[in-house]
Amino acid sequence: MKQNLRICCYGSSSSKTPEAYTSEAFSLGRILAERDHVCVNGGGAHGCMGAMNDGCDSSGGTIHAIIHEMFVVDGAEYLDGKKAKTRHSLTVTTGPNLKERKEKLVENCDAIIVLPGGTGTFDELWEMTAQRALGMWKKPIVCVSIDGYYEPFREMMRRAEDDKLLHCDASALLSFASTSEEAVDLVERLLAADQGPRGGYRAVGRRRRLLAP
């Protein structure tokens, strides 16, 4: 496993996010900082994003925030100009939608860790899971299922597998952890062994073959 991993972290931006989620998000940021990994996220100042940024910043870590210009209002962004000039970096995307922002979030990242979130987090998680199913993303995706938050998602994936709607085992597409520490440990183990879940299939000539998990 290479040092200084870039970990893309998805999570809520709501100021009403339950404390159980923000506490675990703070721990995620702190753990990434202590292990010299870069915390890449959507740059929000509230919810899981704000908490993970606080945890990372307070422990001397590095944040790469990627935020759409529509959210750079009323303190919604975590990194203001002053913070962005230190060890952190801020990228502001434009355009009529979030396509560029989502692409830049995972660009050059080594793994994705998903904390509880709303529709934006669901959108990001589903898109990258679909890319894994198509073989377009081969790096680990780990959901932190605090208080069972992502159990419905896991059950939906299992149902799709049982109904023969997936081209590979659901467990080959993504992993689940109960805590942020467990999630980071899992990412590091998978990358160290170079055997993260490799769901999906690869085009070979005119045929497609499944990639073994």
Side-chain angles (χ1 to χ4, degrees):
M1 180 188 69
K2 72 176 184 179
Q3 298 300 309
N4 304 119
L5 299 174
R6 287 177 60 86
I7 309 294
C8 175
C9 303
Y10 298 148
S12 71
S13 61
S14 171
S15 60
K16 297 180 180 180
T17 300
E19 192 275 335
Y21 301 162
T22 56
S23 177
E24 203 61 52
F26 184 93
S27 294
L28 175 60
R30 174 182 55 78
I31 292 166
L32 293 178
E34 290 174 348
R35 301 189 189 185
D36 294 325
H37 301 325
V38 178
C39 180
V40 182
N41 65 80
H46 307 293
C48 285
M49 278 196 283
M52 79 172 76
N53 285 328
D54 283 339
C56 187
D57 182 62
S58 64
S59 295
T62 301
I63 300 165
H64 183 189
I66 300 169
I67 191 169
H68 191 280
E69 62 179 353
M70 70 179 291
F71 300 123
V72 186
V73 291
D74 301 327
E77 75 281 8
Y78 183 80
L79 295 179
D80 57 24
K82 182 178 180 180
K83 286 183 179 177
K85 291 179 181 178
T86 60
R87 62 184 179 278
H88 308 311
S89 60
L90 173 67
T91 297
V92 179
T93 63
T94 59
N97 52 49
L98 299 177
K99 181 175 182 294
E100 180 187 10
R101 182 197 188 199
K102 289 193 291 183
E103 290 176 346
K104 287 189 176 298
L105 275 169
V106 297
E107 187 176 77
N108 299 320
C109 282
D110 299 289
I112 296 171
I113 293 178
V114 190
L115 291 163
T119 54
T121 302
F122 297 159
D123 173 45
E124 293 162 340
L125 173 56
W126 274 118
E127 179 172 330
M128 296 312 296
T129 301
Q131 288 200 32
R132 281 191 57 77
L134 295 170
M136 296 175 177
W137 174 266
K138 300 181 177 66
K139 300 170 185 178
I141 301 176
V142 181
C143 293
V144 186
S145 191
I146 305 164
D147 293 334
Y149 188 81
Y150 281 110
E151 283 308 302
F153 185 81
R154 194 203 306 244
E155 289 303 314
M156 188 177 295
M157 296 294 292
R158 287 172 175 167
R159 174 64 183 270
E161 178 183 345
D162 290 343
D163 290 349
K164 312 301 181 186
L165 301 178
L166 298 181
H167 295 282
C168 60
D169 294 343
S171 60
L173 296 177
L174 70 165
S175 304
F176 294 84
S178 298
T179 66
S180 294
E181 184 173 19
E182 182 182 335
V184 177
D185 287 344
L186 180 55
V187 162
E188 291 178 340
R189 289 201 306 271
L190 291 170
L191 292 175
D194 193 27
Q195 58 181 24
R198 296 177 182 272
Y201 46 76
R202 176 186 297 145
V204 181
R206 293 185 179 181
R207 302 180 61 188
R208 293 186 175 188
R209 67 177 178 83
L210 293 179
L211 293 179

